[in-house]
Each structure stands twice: as structure tokens, then as C-alpha cells.
Amino acid sequence: MDNRYLLRLCRWDRNLPWTPWNCVLLTEEEAVAHVKLENMNTSFVDKVNVKHQAARIYFARLTALSIPLDPKLIAFCAAAAASKKKKKLAQIQRGITNKK
């Protein structure tokens, strides 16, 4: 593969949300074919399912290693989000009053 920009992370099972254990790396052409595909070779499906189960186990371990966020950082992020929401609400209200 010469151009990595032609690769896409697609959901393996289209009925499930995208997660690290429900994705497959395909070229654009393969992704289109994957969407249209109904039945696959069961041995291939089994191999992919084993890889996905290994990913699920790996990512479960990562959450145990996560570092808790500093409470000051959490408060700062919450205040920033509230400020942004307040500004957006003010813009909407100005737009409504300008139309009257």
C-alpha cells in the first residue's frame, strides 16, 4: 500500500457501534465491498473475532492504568464548557430578538 490516506477504519459488524474491538482497517475499495458483503468465510470471521477479543482485553487493561484527572483541571473544563454554552445561548437569544 503506497498511500496510507486511502485506508479507512470501518466497523466490522455494522449493527454495533464503532469500538477498538469492532473495527477493521481497509482500503476505500475494500470498505465499499465490505458494506455490500453478506456472507463471509467462517474461518476468516473466526480469526477476526479472535483478534477483536484480544483487543477488548487489551483496552480493558488500559482503563485500569489510567491516571485520574486533577480536580482543578476538571473544574476548569466544566467552567469553560458552561461559558461556551452561555455564549451560544446568548447568540441564539439575540437572533430571536432581532427577528421580532
Side-chain angles (χ1 to χ4, degrees), residues 54-74:
R56 183 185 295 266
I57 292 167
Y58 176 78
F59 280 93
R61 284 192 333 218
L62 286 180
T63 58
L65 299 174
S66 66
I67 300 169
L69 289 177
D70 181 0
K72 290 179 185 176
L73 178 60
I74 294 171

Side-chain angles (χ1 to χ4, degrees), residues 5-20:
Y5 299 106
L6 297 178
L7 297 175
R8 301 288 178 253
L9 269 177
C10 305
R11 287 183 292 168
W12 175 250
D13 183 344
R14 295 181 305 251
N15 300 318
L16 299 174
W18 189 95
T19 57

Side-chain angles (χ1 to χ4, degrees), residues 1-66:
M1 163 86 6
D2 291 337
N3 194 343
R4 65 177 170 245
Y5 299 106
L6 297 178
L7 297 175
R8 301 288 178 253
L9 269 177
C10 305
R11 287 183 292 168
W12 175 250
D13 183 344
R14 295 181 305 251
N15 300 318
L16 299 174
W18 189 95
T19 57
W21 48 89
N22 185 36
C23 67
V24 61
L25 184 63
L26 303 171
T27 63
E28 287 182 12
E29 191 175 295
E30 291 168 335
V32 170
H34 178 68
V35 169
K36 296 176 183 176
L37 197 58
E38 293 297 325
N39 296 320
M40 285 190 269
N41 180 330
T42 54
S43 65
F44 176 71
V45 171
D46 290 342
K47 287 180 184 178
V48 173
N49 287 336
V50 167
K51 298 282 187 187
H52 285 159
Q53 189 59 33
R56 183 185 295 266
I57 292 167
Y58 176 78
F59 280 93
R61 284 192 333 218
L62 286 180
T63 58
L65 299 174
S66 66

Side-chain angles (χ1 to χ4, degrees), residues 61-99:
R61 284 192 333 218
L62 286 180
T63 58
L65 299 174
S66 66
I67 300 169
L69 289 177
D70 181 0
K72 290 179 185 176
L73 178 60
I74 294 171
F76 174 78
C77 291
S83 174
K84 185 176 180 181
K85 190 174 184 180
K86 195 175 188 180
K87 286 179 185 177
K88 184 145 182 115
L89 182 59
Q91 288 174 341
I92 291 169
Q93 289 173 340
R94 278 194 303 268
I96 292 172
T97 56
N98 290 342
K99 289 180 181 179

